[in-house]
Amino acid sequence: MDSQTAVASHTAHDSSMAGRLKPDSLGVLGILFFVLSAQAPLTGIAGAVPIAIAIGNGTGAPAAYLAAGVVVLLFSIGFVAMGRHVVDAGAFYTYIGKGLGRSAGSGSAGVALFAYCAIQAAMYGLYGATVSGLVEHYTDVHIAWWIWTLVTMVAVQVLGAAGIEMGAKVLAVFVLAEFSVLIVFALVTLFKGGGPEGLGFGDSFSPRAALQGAPGVALMFAVASMFGFEATAIYGEEAREPRKTVPRATYLSVAVITCFFAFTSWMLVSAHGASAATAEAGKALESGDATTFVFAPIAAQFGAWTGDVLPVLLATSLFAGILAFHNSANRYLFSLGREGLLPHRLTGLNRRHSPWAAGIVQTVISVALVMPFALLGKDPVLTLFSWFSGVAVLGIMLLYFLTSVSVIVFFRRSRADTRPWNTLVAPVLGALGIAGAIWLIIENFTTLIGGDATTSVWLQLTVPAVLVLGLVVARLTRQRPTATL
């Protein structure tokens, strides 16, 4: 009798879990590591900060990171308020659908999936080039960048299918390693009183410094560095007590990312000296290796050995980001399959309740995005990385804006939450800030992708094209029995 009861209980549990991701798998720190991995901190610092300083507002770049953090924080207030009423792996498109209707939600689903796959493909390009260079440097053996990329796609697929807990553990190791080096450097510089000209707080954070040069360009790169924090909501279905865990993880992510980028960029400016930092960043860009602006002062602080360690950490930083975006994208595919917008087969789960079918499709999409650049012999950094990262940032900012508008509409209509600051004031301010950021991105898109004007226009058009495609898919599937958004 006991065995029959156990079997019945196990069967009931399996039935309740059908079509659901594994619950109670992630806490606040687990979600935080996924978000920070998506940021690829070392990649963001070594890649974006020198550009923001050289062609943006110079030594005032750290202030741009603070301003971007304020905009994202205002957005996240409404984002979190909506998250208390909606827990779904679809996050963006579910939120937008709740306020602006199923069609708008479906269109945004296409943009979200496109943005996550595009940024992952971009990171594959930079990752492949970085690993290829490292191997050739240490072994004198040249292996094409795309071969390393394909091998890594297999590893990412395996880790993604191994379960969310395994992915969190792998990412924790990589994130802690890159964070540790940068934070220790920044703290040592701070406690030593800064570089040759002192800390130079006013040179980075005064209104004069913040508004000098081209502050819009610096703000654009700062906003781009925030990409990925919204993934906190994607893991809501797998979180422990999601209505508490997701808000905490979201606010913690925004605070950590903002403070990290603002503080580290300030210490880099200080290490070079405020009077020389802009020129040094320009020299690094002209040399073709912007990372020297970051790696040189770290080596001066800790020794030449960091010259061997930092490029390796750059590769692991990219790997962590790739794995994080793989997990985000396959959960979008899973959720779209569950909603009936994509084939139901995408809802297939393995024994670890990981979306293995969606993961395979996501990997196939990555191959389809990356391999044309390899076959055409394109530079993986100047084209694949630059183009797709720009498109992804534009797409995700559009989703931020639509989500803010949806939050306002949803709470005005449902009255599920009547707090004015959380459901009206902050979302309105966030939407205005994000609209300004979108304008800056479009205005400076050619700079962002490092390409020509024609390429810039075509790449920008892909975002509304994907949005329209999503709307068409929604119309074609409207007659199918699906879950209500």
Side-chain angles (χ1 to χ4, degrees):
M1 190 72 174
D2 289 342
S3 63
Q4 291 178 342
T5 302
V7 170
S9 176
H10 180 72
T11 302
H13 175 73
D14 285 348
S15 176
S16 66
M17 292 289 288
R20 293 187 59 206
L21 298 170
K22 187 177 181 180
D24 302 323
S25 301
L26 293 172
V28 172
L29 289 180
I31 296 175
L32 179 64
F33 280 124
F34 272 105
V35 171
L36 296 182
S37 300
Q39 304 301 137
L42 183 57
T43 305
I45 289 292
V49 169
I51 303 175
I53 292 174
I55 64 176
N57 59 346
T59 59
Y65 283 98
L66 279 184
V70 171
V71 171
V72 171
L73 179 61
L74 289 169
F75 164 80
S76 66
I77 291 171
F79 186 69
V80 164
M82 177 72 90
R84 295 183 186 279
H85 300 274
V86 182
V87 178
D88 189 273
F92 272 139
Y93 89 84
T94 310
Y95 289 12
I96 293 170
K98 280 287 185 181
L100 303 182
R102 179 178 176 81
S103 294
S106 301
S108 65
V111 175
L113 184 61
F114 177 59
Y116 283 127
C117 289
I119 193 62
Q120 189 201 38
M123 296 176 97
Y124 269 128
L126 182 56
Y127 171 85
T130 300
V131 173
S132 178
L134 282 172
V135 172
E136 186 169 4
H137 175 73
Y138 289 110
T139 67
D140 289 327
V141 176
H142 175 73
I143 300 176
W145 66 270
W146 57 269
I147 294 178
W148 292 111
T149 296
L150 290 176
V151 170
T152 303
M153 286 179 181
V154 175
V156 168
Q157 174 63 35
V158 171
L159 282 173
I164 198 72
E165 302 100 324
M166 177 62 72
K169 291 174 183 176
V170 171
L171 293 177
V173 173
F174 291 154
V175 169
L176 287 174
E178 58 184 298
F179 250 81
S180 297
V181 172
L182 292 169
I183 287 296
V184 169
F185 159 75
L187 289 174
V188 169
T189 303
L190 176 68
F191 291 132
K192 281 188 173 182
E197 301 172 24
L199 291 173
F201 182 84
D203 293 312
S204 288
F205 294 104
S206 68
R208 177 189 59 78
L211 296 175
Q212 68 184 345
V217 174
L219 184 62
M220 175 187 68
F221 280 100
V223 169
S225 297
M226 299 287 171
F227 190 120
F229 89 93
E230 74 289 335
T232 52
I234 293 176
Y235 300 106
E237 195 170 317
E238 297 160 278
R240 291 188 287 272
E241 297 185 89
R243 285 176 174 79
K244 294 181 180 179
T245 301
V246 172
R248 291 171 184 171
T250 302
Y251 288 132
L252 184 59
S253 298
V254 174
V256 169
I257 293 164
T258 301
C259 292
F260 170 77
F261 276 100
F263 178 52
T264 305
S265 60
W266 172 34
M267 288 299 99
L268 284 168
V269 169
S270 177
H272 283 282
S275 64
T278 303
E280 290 298 322
K283 289 179 184 177
L285 292 185
E286 290 175 5
S287 72
D289 184 6
T291 63
T292 57
F293 179 81
V294 176
F295 292 175
I298 295 178
Q301 190 77 263
F302 300 127
W305 62 270
T306 60
D308 294 322
V309 173
L310 288 171
V312 174
L313 287 179
L314 178 61
T316 59
S317 171
L318 288 163
F319 180 85
I322 288 167
L323 178 57
F325 282 116
H326 171 80
N327 283 318
S328 296
N330 68 24
R331 278 153 180 77
Y332 257 95
L333 288 166
F334 169 84
S335 186
L336 290 171
R338 190 165 58 184
E339 293 288 346
L341 293 171
L342 289 177
H344 186 72
R345 291 182 181 180
L346 290 172
T347 61
L349 300 173
N350 60 19
R351 293 182 179 180
R352 295 179 179 271
H353 285 275
S354 294
W356 68 270
I360 291 174
V361 171
Q362 201 283 316
T363 300
V364 170
I365 292 173
S366 297
V367 173
L369 290 175
V370 168
M371 288 312 294
F373 289 84
L375 294 174
L376 294 173
K378 296 292 186 180
D379 186 292
V381 178
L382 298 180
T383 57
L384 177 56
F385 175 71
S386 297
W387 295 0
F388 279 5
S389 57
V391 167
V393 169
L394 182 58
I396 212 72
M397 292 306 295
L398 174 61
L399 294 177
Y400 287 175
F401 178 77
L402 291 175
T403 301
S404 292
V405 175
S406 180
V407 167
I408 297 167
V409 173
F410 173 75
F411 286 114
R412 298 283 71 72
R413 186 174 60 209
S414 70
R415 311 302 296 175
D417 188 335
T418 57
R419 294 174 296 172
W421 171 252
N422 298 72
T423 63
L424 179 62
V425 179
V428 167
L429 293 175
L432 292 174
I434 291 163
I438 292 173
W439 179 83
L440 288 172
I441 290 171
I442 293 174
E443 186 74 11
N444 299 282
F445 197 77
T446 303
T447 300
L448 181 61
I449 67 167
D452 57 77
T454 302
T455 302
S456 173
V457 171
W458 281 109
L459 288 174
Q460 290 178 70
L461 288 175
T462 60
V463 175
V466 171
L467 180 64
V468 171
L469 179 61
L471 293 172
V472 171
V473 171
R475 183 174 295 276
L476 292 176
T477 59
R478 187 169 294 170
Q479 302 304 318
R480 298 180 185 176
T482 57
T484 303
L485 282 172

